[in-house]
PDB file of all heavy atoms in Angstrom:
ATOM      1  N   GLY R   1       3.936 -11.173   1.793  1.00  0.00           N
ATOM      2  CA  GLY R   1       3.306 -10.794   3.101  1.00  0.00           C
ATOM      3  C   GLY R   1       3.884  -9.375   3.465  1.00  0.00           C
ATOM      4  O   GLY R   1       5.096  -9.134   3.270  1.00  0.00           O
ATOM      5  N   GLY R   2       3.047  -8.621   4.007  1.00  0.00           N
ATOM      6  CA  GLY R   2       3.463  -7.242   4.485  1.00  0.00           C
ATOM      7  C   GLY R   2       3.560  -6.219   3.403  1.00  0.00           C
ATOM      8  O   GLY R   2       4.040  -5.101   3.704  1.00  0.00           O
ATOM      9  N   HIS R   3       3.143  -6.559   2.176  1.00  0.00           N
ATOM     10  CA  HIS R   3       3.183  -5.570   1.089  1.00  0.00           C
ATOM     11  C   HIS R   3       1.727  -5.141   0.743  1.00  0.00           C
ATOM     12  O   HIS R   3       0.925  -6.025   0.710  1.00  0.00           O
ATOM     13  CB  HIS R   3       3.915  -6.163  -0.236  1.00  0.00           C
ATOM     14  CG  HIS R   3       5.286  -6.417  -0.086  1.00  0.00           C
ATOM     15  ND1 HIS R   3       5.902  -7.244   0.863  1.00  0.00           N
ATOM     16  CD2 HIS R   3       6.277  -5.921  -0.900  1.00  0.00           C
ATOM     17  CE1 HIS R   3       7.197  -7.118   0.714  1.00  0.00           C
ATOM     18  NE2 HIS R   3       7.486  -6.333  -0.254  1.00  0.00           N
ATOM     19  N   HIS R   4       1.522  -3.868   0.651  1.00  0.00           N
ATOM     20  CA  HIS R   4       0.196  -3.374   0.515  1.00  0.00           C
ATOM     21  C   HIS R   4       0.178  -2.232  -0.643  1.00  0.00           C
ATOM     22  O   HIS R   4       0.992  -1.426  -0.723  1.00  0.00           O
ATOM     23  CB  HIS R   4      -0.214  -2.701   1.858  1.00  0.00           C
ATOM     24  CG  HIS R   4       0.008  -3.597   2.980  1.00  0.00           C
ATOM     25  ND1 HIS R   4      -0.786  -4.657   3.283  1.00  0.00           N
ATOM     26  CD2 HIS R   4       0.972  -3.610   3.991  1.00  0.00           C
ATOM     27  CE1 HIS R   4      -0.316  -5.280   4.274  1.00  0.00           C
ATOM     28  NE2 HIS R   4       0.710  -4.594   4.729  1.00  0.00           N
ATOM     29  N   LEU R   5      -0.871  -2.370  -1.423  1.00  0.00           N
ATOM     30  CA  LEU R   5      -1.081  -1.446  -2.493  1.00  0.00           C
ATOM     31  C   LEU R   5      -2.609  -1.035  -2.579  1.00  0.00           C
ATOM     32  O   LEU R   5      -3.410  -1.967  -2.820  1.00  0.00           O
ATOM     33  CB  LEU R   5      -0.668  -1.980  -3.771  1.00  0.00           C
ATOM     34  CG  LEU R   5      -0.759  -1.057  -5.003  1.00  0.00           C
ATOM     35  CD1 LEU R   5       0.133   0.167  -5.044  1.00  0.00           C
ATOM     36  CD2 LEU R   5      -0.451  -1.876  -6.312  1.00  0.00           C
ATOM     37  N   PHE R   6      -2.815   0.246  -2.301  1.00  0.00           N
ATOM     38  CA  PHE R   6      -4.204   0.613  -2.441  1.00  0.00           C
ATOM     39  C   PHE R   6      -4.366   1.594  -3.655  1.00  0.00           C
ATOM     40  O   PHE R   6      -3.494   2.428  -3.903  1.00  0.00           O
ATOM     41  CB  PHE R   6      -4.658   1.555  -1.178  1.00  0.00           C
ATOM     42  CG  PHE R   6      -4.818   0.738   0.013  1.00  0.00           C
ATOM     43  CD1 PHE R   6      -3.798   0.585   0.888  1.00  0.00           C
ATOM     44  CD2 PHE R   6      -5.920  -0.061   0.308  1.00  0.00           C
ATOM     45  CE1 PHE R   6      -3.792  -0.162   2.078  1.00  0.00           C
ATOM     46  CE2 PHE R   6      -6.050  -0.829   1.454  1.00  0.00           C
ATOM     47  CZ  PHE R   6      -4.947  -0.879   2.317  1.00  0.00           C
ATOM     48  N   LEU R   7      -5.462   1.322  -4.402  1.00  0.00           N
ATOM     49  CA  LEU R   7      -5.812   2.283  -5.629  1.00  0.00           C
ATOM     50  C   LEU R   7      -6.985   3.014  -5.316  1.00  0.00           C
ATOM     51  O   LEU R   7      -7.899   2.580  -4.722  1.00  0.00           O
ATOM     52  CB  LEU R   7      -5.953   1.233  -6.711  1.00  0.00           C
ATOM     53  CG  LEU R   7      -4.949   0.346  -7.152  1.00  0.00           C
ATOM     54  CD1 LEU R   7      -5.463  -0.761  -8.187  1.00  0.00           C
ATOM     55  CD2 LEU R   7      -3.817   1.130  -7.781  1.00  0.00           C
ATOM     56  N   ALA R   8      -6.919   4.309  -5.910  1.00  0.00           N
ATOM     57  CA  ALA R   8      -8.077   5.148  -5.739  1.00  0.00           C
ATOM     58  C   ALA R   8      -8.823   5.295  -7.104  1.00  0.00           C
ATOM     59  O   ALA R   8      -8.039   5.444  -8.057  1.00  0.00           O
ATOM     60  CB  ALA R   8      -7.616   6.570  -5.315  1.00  0.00           C
ATOM     61  N   TYR R   9     -10.066   5.287  -7.032  1.00  0.00           N
ATOM     62  CA  TYR R   9     -10.863   5.470  -8.300  1.00  0.00           C
ATOM     63  C   TYR R   9     -11.801   6.605  -8.099  1.00  0.00           C
ATOM     64  O   TYR R   9     -12.308   6.937  -7.028  1.00  0.00           O
ATOM     65  CB  TYR R   9     -11.672   4.105  -8.469  1.00  0.00           C
ATOM     66  CG  TYR R   9     -10.820   2.967  -8.817  1.00  0.00           C
ATOM     67  CD1 TYR R   9     -10.390   2.183  -7.736  1.00  0.00           C
ATOM     68  CD2 TYR R   9     -10.528   2.543 -10.035  1.00  0.00           C
ATOM     69  CE1 TYR R   9      -9.535   0.962  -7.978  1.00  0.00           C
ATOM     70  CE2 TYR R   9      -9.716   1.383 -10.258  1.00  0.00           C
ATOM     71  CZ  TYR R   9      -9.268   0.699  -9.276  1.00  0.00           C
ATOM     72  OH  TYR R   9      -8.491  -0.366  -9.515  1.00  0.00           O
ATOM     73  N   ASP R  10     -12.150   7.246  -9.171  1.00  0.00           N
ATOM     74  CA  ASP R  10     -13.061   8.432  -9.137  1.00  0.00           C
ATOM     75  C   ASP R  10     -14.441   7.877  -9.678  1.00  0.00           C
ATOM     76  O   ASP R  10     -14.588   7.499 -10.834  1.00  0.00           O
ATOM     77  CB  ASP R  10     -12.548   9.505 -10.199  1.00  0.00           C
ATOM     78  CG  ASP R  10     -13.525  10.713 -10.159  1.00  0.00           C
ATOM     79  OD1 ASP R  10     -14.330  10.843  -9.301  1.00  0.00           O
ATOM     80  OD2 ASP R  10     -13.332  11.571 -11.109  1.00  0.00           O
ATOM     81  N   GLY R  11     -15.393   7.826  -8.655  1.00  0.00           N
ATOM     82  CA  GLY R  11     -16.684   7.305  -9.064  1.00  0.00           C
ATOM     83  C   GLY R  11     -16.581   5.970  -9.542  1.00  0.00           C
ATOM     84  O   GLY R  11     -15.931   5.064  -9.104  1.00  0.00           O
ATOM     85  N   GLY R  12     -17.294   5.701 -10.641  1.00  0.00           N
ATOM     86  CA  GLY R  12     -17.353   4.365 -11.249  1.00  0.00           C
ATOM     87  C   GLY R  12     -16.316   4.207 -12.399  1.00  0.00           C
ATOM     88  O   GLY R  12     -16.367   3.131 -13.082  1.00  0.00           O
ATOM     89  N   GLU R  13     -15.334   5.116 -12.471  1.00  0.00           N
ATOM     90  CA  GLU R  13     -14.376   4.916 -13.613  1.00  0.00           C
ATOM     91  C   GLU R  13     -13.502   3.664 -13.269  1.00  0.00           C
ATOM     92  O   GLU R  13     -13.167   3.350 -12.137  1.00  0.00           O
ATOM     93  CB  GLU R  13     -13.466   6.232 -13.583  1.00  0.00           C
ATOM     94  CG  GLU R  13     -14.186   7.449 -13.958  1.00  0.00           C
ATOM     95  CD  GLU R  13     -14.719   7.451 -15.382  1.00  0.00           C
ATOM     96  OE1 GLU R  13     -14.151   6.919 -16.216  1.00  0.00           O
ATOM     97  OE2 GLU R  13     -15.906   7.815 -15.571  1.00  0.00           O
ATOM     98  N   PRO R  14     -13.177   2.948 -14.405  1.00  0.00           N
ATOM     99  CA  PRO R  14     -12.348   1.748 -14.269  1.00  0.00           C
ATOM    100  C   PRO R  14     -10.806   1.936 -14.144  1.00  0.00           C
ATOM    101  O   PRO R  14     -10.159   1.035 -13.576  1.00  0.00           O
ATOM    102  CB  PRO R  14     -12.597   1.049 -15.638  1.00  0.00           C
ATOM    103  CG  PRO R  14     -12.845   2.083 -16.491  1.00  0.00           C
ATOM    104  CD  PRO R  14     -13.537   3.210 -15.778  1.00  0.00           C
ATOM    105  N   THR R  15     -10.392   3.099 -14.471  1.00  0.00           N
ATOM    106  CA  THR R  15      -8.874   3.390 -14.392  1.00  0.00           C
ATOM    107  C   THR R  15      -8.494   4.182 -13.008  1.00  0.00           C
ATOM    108  O   THR R  15      -9.129   5.201 -12.643  1.00  0.00           O
ATOM    109  CB  THR R  15      -8.414   4.281 -15.454  1.00  0.00           C
ATOM    110  OG1 THR R  15      -8.819   3.684 -16.746  1.00  0.00           O
ATOM    111  CG2 THR R  15      -6.900   4.546 -15.553  1.00  0.00           C
ATOM    112  N   PRO R  16      -7.620   3.570 -12.275  1.00  0.00           N
ATOM    113  CA  PRO R  16      -7.197   4.359 -11.014  1.00  0.00           C
ATOM    114  C   PRO R  16      -6.670   5.658 -11.284  1.00  0.00           C
ATOM    115  O   PRO R  16      -6.079   5.954 -12.332  1.00  0.00           O
ATOM    116  CB  PRO R  16      -6.121   3.369 -10.537  1.00  0.00           C
ATOM    117  CG  PRO R  16      -6.279   2.089 -11.144  1.00  0.00           C
ATOM    118  CD  PRO R  16      -6.825   2.391 -12.531  1.00  0.00           C
ATOM    119  N   VAL R  17      -6.899   6.550 -10.272  1.00  0.00           N
ATOM    120  CA  VAL R  17      -6.375   7.867 -10.378  1.00  0.00           C
ATOM    121  C   VAL R  17      -5.399   8.273  -9.266  1.00  0.00           C
ATOM    122  O   VAL R  17      -4.872   9.383  -9.222  1.00  0.00           O
ATOM    123  CB  VAL R  17      -7.571   8.903 -10.272  1.00  0.00           C
ATOM    124  CG1 VAL R  17      -8.580   8.700 -11.468  1.00  0.00           C
ATOM    125  CG2 VAL R  17      -8.399   8.757  -9.015  1.00  0.00           C
ATOM    126  N   GLY R  18      -5.108   7.251  -8.553  1.00  0.00           N
ATOM    127  CA  GLY R  18      -4.012   7.395  -7.457  1.00  0.00           C
ATOM    128  C   GLY R  18      -3.722   6.085  -6.918  1.00  0.00           C
ATOM    129  O   GLY R  18      -4.498   5.103  -6.997  1.00  0.00           O
ATOM    130  N   PHE R  19      -2.567   6.087  -6.148  1.00  0.00           N
ATOM    131  CA  PHE R  19      -2.277   4.825  -5.411  1.00  0.00           C
ATOM    132  C   PHE R  19      -1.352   5.201  -4.253  1.00  0.00           C
ATOM    133  O   PHE R  19      -0.658   6.222  -4.296  1.00  0.00           O
ATOM    134  CB  PHE R  19      -1.723   3.781  -6.286  1.00  0.00           C
ATOM    135  CG  PHE R  19      -0.239   3.931  -6.607  1.00  0.00           C
ATOM    136  CD1 PHE R  19       0.860   3.546  -5.725  1.00  0.00           C
ATOM    137  CD2 PHE R  19       0.223   4.683  -7.804  1.00  0.00           C
ATOM    138  CE1 PHE R  19       2.135   3.745  -6.031  1.00  0.00           C
ATOM    139  CE2 PHE R  19       1.598   4.784  -8.015  1.00  0.00           C
ATOM    140  CZ  PHE R  19       2.563   4.410  -7.142  1.00  0.00           C
ATOM    141  N   VAL R  20      -1.235   4.239  -3.322  1.00  0.00           N
ATOM    142  CA  VAL R  20      -0.302   4.326  -2.243  1.00  0.00           C
ATOM    143  C   VAL R  20       0.223   2.946  -1.985  1.00  0.00           C
ATOM    144  O   VAL R  20      -0.653   2.015  -1.925  1.00  0.00           O
ATOM    145  CB  VAL R  20      -0.835   5.043  -0.891  1.00  0.00           C
ATOM    146  CG1 VAL R  20      -1.879   4.193  -0.297  1.00  0.00           C
ATOM    147  CG2 VAL R  20       0.312   5.261   0.125  1.00  0.00           C
ATOM    148  N   SER R  21       1.507   2.738  -1.775  1.00  0.00           N
ATOM    149  CA  SER R  21       2.056   1.479  -1.533  1.00  0.00           C
ATOM    150  C   SER R  21       2.784   1.540  -0.118  1.00  0.00           C
ATOM    151  O   SER R  21       3.362   2.658   0.223  1.00  0.00           O
ATOM    152  CB  SER R  21       2.961   0.905  -2.622  1.00  0.00           C
ATOM    153  OG  SER R  21       4.008   1.775  -2.750  1.00  0.00           O
ATOM    154  N   GLY R  22       2.811   0.454   0.576  1.00  0.00           N
ATOM    155  CA  GLY R  22       3.461   0.362   1.808  1.00  0.00           C
ATOM    156  C   GLY R  22       4.000  -1.009   1.946  1.00  0.00           C
ATOM    157  O   GLY R  22       3.467  -1.956   1.420  1.00  0.00           O
ATOM    158  N   VAL R  23       5.101  -1.122   2.813  1.00  0.00           N
ATOM    159  CA  VAL R  23       5.808  -2.263   3.205  1.00  0.00           C
ATOM    160  C   VAL R  23       6.048  -2.306   4.628  1.00  0.00           C
ATOM    161  O   VAL R  23       6.662  -1.395   5.146  1.00  0.00           O
ATOM    162  CB  VAL R  23       7.129  -2.476   2.316  1.00  0.00           C
ATOM    163  CG1 VAL R  23       7.899  -3.780   2.767  1.00  0.00           C
ATOM    164  CG2 VAL R  23       6.756  -2.476   0.873  1.00  0.00           C
ATOM    165  N   GLU R  24       5.631  -3.420   5.279  1.00  0.00           N
ATOM    166  CA  GLU R  24       5.921  -3.582   6.709  1.00  0.00           C
ATOM    167  C   GLU R  24       7.373  -4.045   6.854  1.00  0.00           C
ATOM    168  O   GLU R  24       7.814  -4.873   6.132  1.00  0.00           O
ATOM    169  CB  GLU R  24       4.966  -4.693   7.345  1.00  0.00           C
ATOM    170  CG  GLU R  24       3.482  -4.271   7.284  1.00  0.00           C
ATOM    171  CD  GLU R  24       2.608  -5.386   7.760  1.00  0.00           C
ATOM    172  OE1 GLU R  24       3.046  -6.102   8.864  1.00  0.00           O
ATOM    173  OE2 GLU R  24       1.581  -5.516   7.098  1.00  0.00           O
ATOM    174  N   THR R  25       8.026  -3.384   7.812  1.00  0.00           N
ATOM    175  CA  THR R  25       9.355  -3.838   8.068  1.00  0.00           C
ATOM    176  C   THR R  25       9.517  -4.137   9.574  1.00  0.00           C
ATOM    177  O   THR R  25       8.936  -3.411  10.335  1.00  0.00           O
ATOM    178  CB  THR R  25      10.469  -2.741   7.703  1.00  0.00           C
ATOM    179  OG1 THR R  25      10.152  -1.594   8.546  1.00  0.00           O
ATOM    180  CG2 THR R  25      10.422  -2.383   6.306  1.00  0.00           C
ATOM    181  N   THR R  26      10.114  -5.250   9.859  1.00  0.00           N
ATOM    182  CA  THR R  26      10.226  -5.753  11.290  1.00  0.00           C
ATOM    183  C   THR R  26      11.669  -5.860  11.716  1.00  0.00           C
ATOM    184  O   THR R  26      12.463  -6.416  10.859  1.00  0.00           O
ATOM    185  CB  THR R  26       9.439  -7.164  11.395  1.00  0.00           C
ATOM    186  OG1 THR R  26       8.086  -6.853  11.058  1.00  0.00           O
ATOM    187  CG2 THR R  26       9.501  -7.623  12.830  1.00  0.00           C
ATOM    188  N   HIS R  27      11.964  -5.373  12.870  1.00  0.00           N
ATOM    189  CA  HIS R  27      13.332  -5.568  13.424  1.00  0.00           C
ATOM    190  C   HIS R  27      13.160  -6.233  14.760  1.00  0.00           C
ATOM    191  O   HIS R  27      12.203  -5.951  15.504  1.00  0.00           O
ATOM    192  CB  HIS R  27      13.921  -4.203  13.532  1.00  0.00           C
ATOM    193  CG  HIS R  27      15.479  -4.295  13.533  1.00  0.00           C
ATOM    194  ND1 HIS R  27      16.101  -4.437  14.841  1.00  0.00           N
ATOM    195  CD2 HIS R  27      16.453  -4.396  12.692  1.00  0.00           C
ATOM    196  CE1 HIS R  27      17.381  -4.400  14.639  1.00  0.00           C
ATOM    197  NE2 HIS R  27      17.645  -4.449  13.350  1.00  0.00           N
ATOM    198  N   PRO R  28      14.148  -7.135  15.101  1.00  0.00           N
ATOM    199  CA  PRO R  28      14.010  -7.895  16.433  1.00  0.00           C
ATOM    200  C   PRO R  28      13.963  -6.996  17.688  1.00  0.00           C
ATOM    201  O   PRO R  28      13.267  -7.464  18.614  1.00  0.00           O
ATOM    202  CB  PRO R  28      15.392  -8.544  16.534  1.00  0.00           C
ATOM    203  CG  PRO R  28      15.783  -8.705  15.057  1.00  0.00           C
ATOM    204  CD  PRO R  28      15.397  -7.492  14.312  1.00  0.00           C
ATOM    205  N   ASP R  29      14.407  -5.823  17.704  1.00  0.00           N
ATOM    206  CA  ASP R  29      14.326  -4.945  18.900  1.00  0.00           C
ATOM    207  C   ASP R  29      13.375  -3.786  18.775  1.00  0.00           C
ATOM    208  O   ASP R  29      13.148  -3.056  19.711  1.00  0.00           O
ATOM    209  CB  ASP R  29      15.685  -4.476  19.341  1.00  0.00           C
ATOM    210  CG  ASP R  29      16.261  -3.418  18.413  1.00  0.00           C
ATOM    211  OD1 ASP R  29      15.912  -3.409  17.258  1.00  0.00           O
ATOM    212  OD2 ASP R  29      17.038  -2.552  18.830  1.00  0.00           O
ATOM    213  N   LYS R  30      12.711  -3.660  17.592  1.00  0.00           N
ATOM    214  CA  LYS R  30      11.796  -2.519  17.459  1.00  0.00           C
ATOM    215  C   LYS R  30      10.405  -2.978  17.286  1.00  0.00           C
ATOM    216  O   LYS R  30       9.466  -2.229  17.475  1.00  0.00           O
ATOM    217  CB  LYS R  30      12.281  -1.728  16.279  1.00  0.00           C
ATOM    218  CG  LYS R  30      13.668  -0.928  16.694  1.00  0.00           C
ATOM    219  CD  LYS R  30      14.160  -0.259  15.437  1.00  0.00           C
ATOM    220  CE  LYS R  30      15.507   0.424  15.758  1.00  0.00           C
ATOM    221  NZ  LYS R  30      16.550  -0.558  16.032  1.00  0.00           N
ATOM    222  N   GLY R  31      10.080  -4.181  16.694  1.00  0.00           N
ATOM    223  CA  GLY R  31       8.755  -4.539  16.250  1.00  0.00           C
ATOM    224  C   GLY R  31       8.597  -4.163  14.672  1.00  0.00           C
ATOM    225  O   GLY R  31       9.601  -4.009  13.948  1.00  0.00           O
ATOM    226  N   THR R  32       7.365  -3.847  14.275  1.00  0.00           N
ATOM    227  CA  THR R  32       7.011  -3.651  12.979  1.00  0.00           C
ATOM    228  C   THR R  32       6.533  -2.281  12.742  1.00  0.00           C
ATOM    229  O   THR R  32       5.768  -1.748  13.527  1.00  0.00           O
ATOM    230  CB  THR R  32       5.863  -4.632  12.555  1.00  0.00           C
ATOM    231  OG1 THR R  32       6.383  -5.974  12.772  1.00  0.00           O
ATOM    232  CG2 THR R  32       5.513  -4.453  11.107  1.00  0.00           C
TER     233      THR R  32
END
């Protein structure tokens, strides 16, 4: 939960040409 990975593709090509990953972090006094 809270882990995200997006892949970028060029047109109809099957191999990704880029990605970004992110992780949600939550703290009791700050939120997410």
Side-chain angles (χ1 to χ4, degrees):
H3 287 62
H4 313 283
L5 180 65
F6 291 98
L7 299 169
Y9 296 86
D10 182 13
E13 296 296 320
T15 303
V17 297
F19 79 87
V20 67
S21 61
V23 177
E24 294 175 42
T25 60
T26 302
H27 199 268
D29 68 335
K30 293 176 183 66
T32 301

